[in-house]
Amino acid sequence: MHTREVTLLEGEKVLLRPLKVDDAKLYPDFLAHVTSDDLRLRFFAPMRELSPDMVDKLVHYDPAKAMAFIAIEQTTGRLLGVVRLHDDDGGDSGEFAILLRSRLKGHGLGWLMMKHMIANAKEKGLKIVRGQVLTENLTMLQMCEELGFHIADDTLERGVKQVTLPLEEVPPEALP
Ligand SMILES: CC(C)(COP(=O)(O)OP(=O)(O)OC[C@H]1O[C@@H](n2cnc3c(N)ncnc32)[C@H](O)[C@@H]1OP(=O)(O)O)[C@@H](O)C(=O)NCCC(=O)NCCS
């Protein structure tokens, strides 16, 4: 389950596999193809680029407390997207984040990566997957709704929605 080959809507073959430290070298090309607007939707703050220090932090996660998967284009080896899930204190739930190469949006990769992450969270024994999504991010909110997430206003941050998926509500046939 940790590694899986998937096919996008237009037939592109993509490998989903755990993120490794060595993958830091794939980030500059990836980030060069992510718009500043998409970075803002992911990090909730205006930014034009991620510093090498930040990339270093992203690849050095503790696998006992977090999981991160990347999508690699089979034909080129390029990094197409990253989804991650960091366990909350207590260990029953985790918070996800996802970012894709901007030109690939709408090809079905986000959907496949979310399902991959949710299946791995369930396999790990987590009970809840949750995330924060900007209210303006309608694509993400619609996708979350279709994936079965409950959506509510964030009580602490204006303009932010909390999306919550109790994993017991996800039928096995809905997952890869
Ligand atoms: C939000 C984001 C991850 C979505 O990924 P994406 O690859 O563009 O989305 P997808 O193509 O997988 O899904 C989009 C649509 O296809 C649907 N879909 C895709 N594959 C599907 C499948 N196999 N079965 C059913 N529905 C599917 C989705 O529900 C959605 O519905 P729509 O086409 O009717 O709008 C991506 O746009 C992104 O990286 N945005 C910038 C960063 C960001 O916003 N991150 C989220 C912050 S938490």
PDB file of all heavy atoms in Angstrom, residues 29-44:
ATOM      1  N   ASP A  29      12.830  21.743  -8.962  1.00  0.00           N
ATOM      2  CA  ASP A  29      12.077  21.663 -10.219  1.00  0.00           C
ATOM      3  C   ASP A  29      10.571  21.649  -9.946  1.00  0.00           C
ATOM      4  O   ASP A  29       9.790  22.326 -10.617  1.00  0.00           O
ATOM      5  CB  ASP A  29      12.505  20.399 -10.989  1.00  0.00           C
ATOM      6  CG  ASP A  29      11.615  20.168 -12.206  1.00  0.00           C
ATOM      7  OD1 ASP A  29      11.677  20.993 -13.134  1.00  0.00           O
ATOM      8  OD2 ASP A  29      10.838  19.188 -12.200  1.00  0.00           O
ATOM      9  N   PHE A  30      10.177  20.897  -8.917  1.00  0.00           N
ATOM     10  CA  PHE A  30       8.747  20.829  -8.547  1.00  0.00           C
ATOM     11  C   PHE A  30       8.223  22.225  -8.202  1.00  0.00           C
ATOM     12  O   PHE A  30       7.219  22.695  -8.756  1.00  0.00           O
ATOM     13  CB  PHE A  30       8.597  19.869  -7.359  1.00  0.00           C
ATOM     14  CG  PHE A  30       7.236  19.836  -6.728  1.00  0.00           C
ATOM     15  CD1 PHE A  30       6.110  19.495  -7.473  1.00  0.00           C
ATOM     16  CD2 PHE A  30       7.070  20.124  -5.378  1.00  0.00           C
ATOM     17  CE1 PHE A  30       4.847  19.453  -6.883  1.00  0.00           C
ATOM     18  CE2 PHE A  30       5.822  20.073  -4.782  1.00  0.00           C
ATOM     19  CZ  PHE A  30       4.710  19.751  -5.541  1.00  0.00           C
ATOM     20  N   LEU A  31       8.941  22.904  -7.312  1.00  0.00           N
ATOM     21  CA  LEU A  31       8.458  24.203  -6.824  1.00  0.00           C
ATOM     22  C   LEU A  31       8.489  25.265  -7.916  1.00  0.00           C
ATOM     23  O   LEU A  31       7.689  26.212  -7.897  1.00  0.00           O
ATOM     24  CB  LEU A  31       9.278  24.647  -5.610  1.00  0.00           C
ATOM     25  CG  LEU A  31       9.060  23.749  -4.383  1.00  0.00           C
ATOM     26  CD1 LEU A  31      10.091  24.054  -3.299  1.00  0.00           C
ATOM     27  CD2 LEU A  31       7.637  23.920  -3.845  1.00  0.00           C
ATOM     28  N   ALA A  32       9.388  25.072  -8.881  1.00  0.00           N
ATOM     29  CA  ALA A  32       9.431  26.019 -10.010  1.00  0.00           C
ATOM     30  C   ALA A  32       8.160  25.915 -10.841  1.00  0.00           C
ATOM     31  O   ALA A  32       7.864  26.813 -11.633  1.00  0.00           O
ATOM     32  CB  ALA A  32      10.654  25.732 -10.881  1.00  0.00           C
ATOM     33  N   HIS A  33       7.430  24.824 -10.686  1.00  0.00           N
ATOM     34  CA  HIS A  33       6.203  24.609 -11.458  1.00  0.00           C
ATOM     35  C   HIS A  33       4.951  24.663 -10.583  1.00  0.00           C
ATOM     36  O   HIS A  33       3.914  24.112 -10.936  1.00  0.00           O
ATOM     37  CB  HIS A  33       6.278  23.279 -12.212  1.00  0.00           C
ATOM     38  CG  HIS A  33       7.327  23.289 -13.283  1.00  0.00           C
ATOM     39  ND1 HIS A  33       8.626  22.949 -13.041  1.00  0.00           N
ATOM     40  CD2 HIS A  33       7.263  23.659 -14.586  1.00  0.00           C
ATOM     41  CE1 HIS A  33       9.328  23.077 -14.152  1.00  0.00           C
ATOM     42  NE2 HIS A  33       8.530  23.511 -15.094  1.00  0.00           N
ATOM     43  N   VAL A  34       5.091  25.307  -9.426  1.00  0.00           N
ATOM     44  CA  VAL A  34       3.930  25.540  -8.563  1.00  0.00           C
ATOM     45  C   VAL A  34       3.725  27.052  -8.488  1.00  0.00           C
ATOM     46  O   VAL A  34       4.661  27.786  -8.181  1.00  0.00           O
ATOM     47  CB  VAL A  34       4.168  24.971  -7.139  1.00  0.00           C
ATOM     48  CG1 VAL A  34       3.007  25.333  -6.221  1.00  0.00           C
ATOM     49  CG2 VAL A  34       4.337  23.453  -7.188  1.00  0.00           C
ATOM     50  N   THR A  35       2.529  27.510  -8.787  1.00  0.00           N
ATOM     51  CA  THR A  35       2.277  28.954  -8.786  1.00  0.00           C
ATOM     52  C   THR A  35       2.275  29.498  -7.352  1.00  0.00           C
ATOM     53  O   THR A  35       2.024  28.758  -6.390  1.00  0.00           O
ATOM     54  CB  THR A  35       0.914  29.284  -9.434  1.00  0.00           C
ATOM     55  OG1 THR A  35      -0.116  28.686  -8.624  1.00  0.00           O
ATOM     56  CG2 THR A  35       0.810  28.741 -10.852  1.00  0.00           C
ATOM     57  N   SER A  36       2.522  30.807  -7.230  1.00  0.00           N
ATOM     58  CA  SER A  36       2.527  31.396  -5.880  1.00  0.00           C
ATOM     59  C   SER A  36       1.134  31.302  -5.272  1.00  0.00           C
ATOM     60  O   SER A  36       0.982  31.180  -4.056  1.00  0.00           O
ATOM     61  CB  SER A  36       3.033  32.834  -5.910  1.00  0.00           C
ATOM     62  OG  SER A  36       2.392  33.539  -6.914  1.00  0.00           O
ATOM     63  N   ASP A  37       0.099  31.321  -6.117  1.00  0.00           N
ATOM     64  CA  ASP A  37      -1.256  31.187  -5.591  1.00  0.00           C
ATOM     65  C   ASP A  37      -1.465  29.785  -4.983  1.00  0.00           C
ATOM     66  O   ASP A  37      -2.066  29.652  -3.907  1.00  0.00           O
ATOM     67  CB  ASP A  37      -2.263  31.436  -6.722  1.00  0.00           C
ATOM     68  CG  ASP A  37      -3.552  31.993  -6.151  1.00  0.00           C
ATOM     69  OD1 ASP A  37      -3.484  32.794  -5.195  1.00  0.00           O
ATOM     70  OD2 ASP A  37      -4.627  31.609  -6.649  1.00  0.00           O
ATOM     71  N   ASP A  38      -0.973  28.758  -5.662  1.00  0.00           N
ATOM     72  CA  ASP A  38      -1.099  27.398  -5.112  1.00  0.00           C
ATOM     73  C   ASP A  38      -0.282  27.248  -3.824  1.00  0.00           C
ATOM     74  O   ASP A  38      -0.715  26.561  -2.889  1.00  0.00           O
ATOM     75  CB  ASP A  38      -0.662  26.352  -6.149  1.00  0.00           C
ATOM     76  CG  ASP A  38      -1.756  26.099  -7.183  1.00  0.00           C
ATOM     77  OD1 ASP A  38      -2.881  26.623  -7.013  1.00  0.00           O
ATOM     78  OD2 ASP A  38      -1.487  25.391  -8.170  1.00  0.00           O
ATOM     79  N   LEU A  39       0.894  27.894  -3.768  1.00  0.00           N
ATOM     80  CA  LEU A  39       1.686  27.843  -2.527  1.00  0.00           C
ATOM     81  C   LEU A  39       0.901  28.484  -1.377  1.00  0.00           C
ATOM     82  O   LEU A  39       0.899  27.995  -0.255  1.00  0.00           O
ATOM     83  CB  LEU A  39       3.010  28.590  -2.697  1.00  0.00           C
ATOM     84  CG  LEU A  39       4.153  27.858  -3.397  1.00  0.00           C
ATOM     85  CD1 LEU A  39       5.390  28.740  -3.414  1.00  0.00           C
ATOM     86  CD2 LEU A  39       4.476  26.540  -2.709  1.00  0.00           C
ATOM     87  N   ARG A  40       0.216  29.582  -1.686  1.00  0.00           N
ATOM     88  CA  ARG A  40      -0.578  30.265  -0.652  1.00  0.00           C
ATOM     89  C   ARG A  40      -1.740  29.371  -0.181  1.00  0.00           C
ATOM     90  O   ARG A  40      -2.043  29.291   1.008  1.00  0.00           O
ATOM     91  CB  ARG A  40      -1.112  31.583  -1.214  1.00  0.00           C
ATOM     92  CG  ARG A  40      -1.848  32.442  -0.203  1.00  0.00           C
ATOM     93  CD  ARG A  40      -2.296  33.739  -0.842  1.00  0.00           C
ATOM     94  NE  ARG A  40      -3.177  33.524  -1.985  1.00  0.00           N
ATOM     95  CZ  ARG A  40      -4.473  33.252  -1.904  1.00  0.00           C
ATOM     96  NH1 ARG A  40      -5.059  33.182  -0.731  1.00  0.00           N
ATOM     97  NH2 ARG A  40      -5.193  33.048  -2.989  1.00  0.00           N
ATOM     98  N   LEU A  41      -2.381  28.666  -1.135  1.00  0.00           N
ATOM     99  CA  LEU A  41      -3.483  27.767  -0.753  1.00  0.00           C
ATOM    100  C   LEU A  41      -2.986  26.632   0.137  1.00  0.00           C
ATOM    101  O   LEU A  41      -3.708  26.133   1.001  1.00  0.00           O
ATOM    102  CB  LEU A  41      -4.154  27.181  -2.003  1.00  0.00           C
ATOM    103  CG  LEU A  41      -4.939  28.162  -2.887  1.00  0.00           C
ATOM    104  CD1 LEU A  41      -5.412  27.476  -4.161  1.00  0.00           C
ATOM    105  CD2 LEU A  41      -6.123  28.757  -2.133  1.00  0.00           C
ATOM    106  N   ARG A  42      -1.722  26.241  -0.064  1.00  0.00           N
ATOM    107  CA  ARG A  42      -1.149  25.146   0.731  1.00  0.00           C
ATOM    108  C   ARG A  42      -0.634  25.637   2.086  1.00  0.00           C
ATOM    109  O   ARG A  42      -0.861  25.002   3.108  1.00  0.00           O
ATOM    110  CB  ARG A  42      -0.023  24.481  -0.077  1.00  0.00           C
ATOM    111  CG  ARG A  42       1.019  23.690   0.687  1.00  0.00           C
ATOM    112  CD  ARG A  42       0.484  22.426   1.307  1.00  0.00           C
ATOM    113  NE  ARG A  42       1.519  21.660   1.969  1.00  0.00           N
ATOM    114  CZ  ARG A  42       1.925  21.864   3.227  1.00  0.00           C
ATOM    115  NH1 ARG A  42       1.373  22.795   3.971  1.00  0.00           N
ATOM    116  NH2 ARG A  42       2.880  21.096   3.746  1.00  0.00           N
ATOM    117  N   PHE A  43       0.085  26.788   2.081  1.00  0.00           N
ATOM    118  CA  PHE A  43       0.748  27.230   3.320  1.00  0.00           C
ATOM    119  C   PHE A  43       0.016  28.382   4.016  1.00  0.00           C
ATOM    120  O   PHE A  43       0.445  28.833   5.071  1.00  0.00           O
ATOM    121  CB  PHE A  43       2.206  27.616   3.031  1.00  0.00           C
ATOM    122  CG  PHE A  43       3.051  26.429   2.648  1.00  0.00           C
ATOM    123  CD1 PHE A  43       3.342  26.139   1.317  1.00  0.00           C
ATOM    124  CD2 PHE A  43       3.529  25.558   3.617  1.00  0.00           C
ATOM    125  CE1 PHE A  43       4.102  25.037   0.963  1.00  0.00           C
ATOM    126  CE2 PHE A  43       4.289  24.446   3.272  1.00  0.00           C
ATOM    127  CZ  PHE A  43       4.575  24.179   1.945  1.00  0.00           C
ATOM    128  N   PHE A  44      -1.070  28.887   3.408  1.00  0.00           N
ATOM    129  CA  PHE A  44      -1.916  29.931   4.013  1.00  0.00           C
ATOM    130  C   PHE A  44      -1.189  31.255   4.193  1.00  0.00           C
ATOM    131  O   PHE A  44      -1.586  32.078   5.013  1.00  0.00           O
ATOM    132  CB  PHE A  44      -2.445  29.500   5.382  1.00  0.00           C
ATOM    133  CG  PHE A  44      -3.477  28.406   5.321  1.00  0.00           C
ATOM    134  CD1 PHE A  44      -3.582  27.571   4.231  1.00  0.00           C
ATOM    135  CD2 PHE A  44      -4.363  28.216   6.362  1.00  0.00           C
ATOM    136  CE1 PHE A  44      -4.533  26.563   4.170  1.00  0.00           C
ATOM    137  CE2 PHE A  44      -5.325  27.223   6.331  1.00  0.00           C
ATOM    138  CZ  PHE A  44      -5.399  26.393   5.216  1.00  0.00           C
TER     139      PHE A  44
END
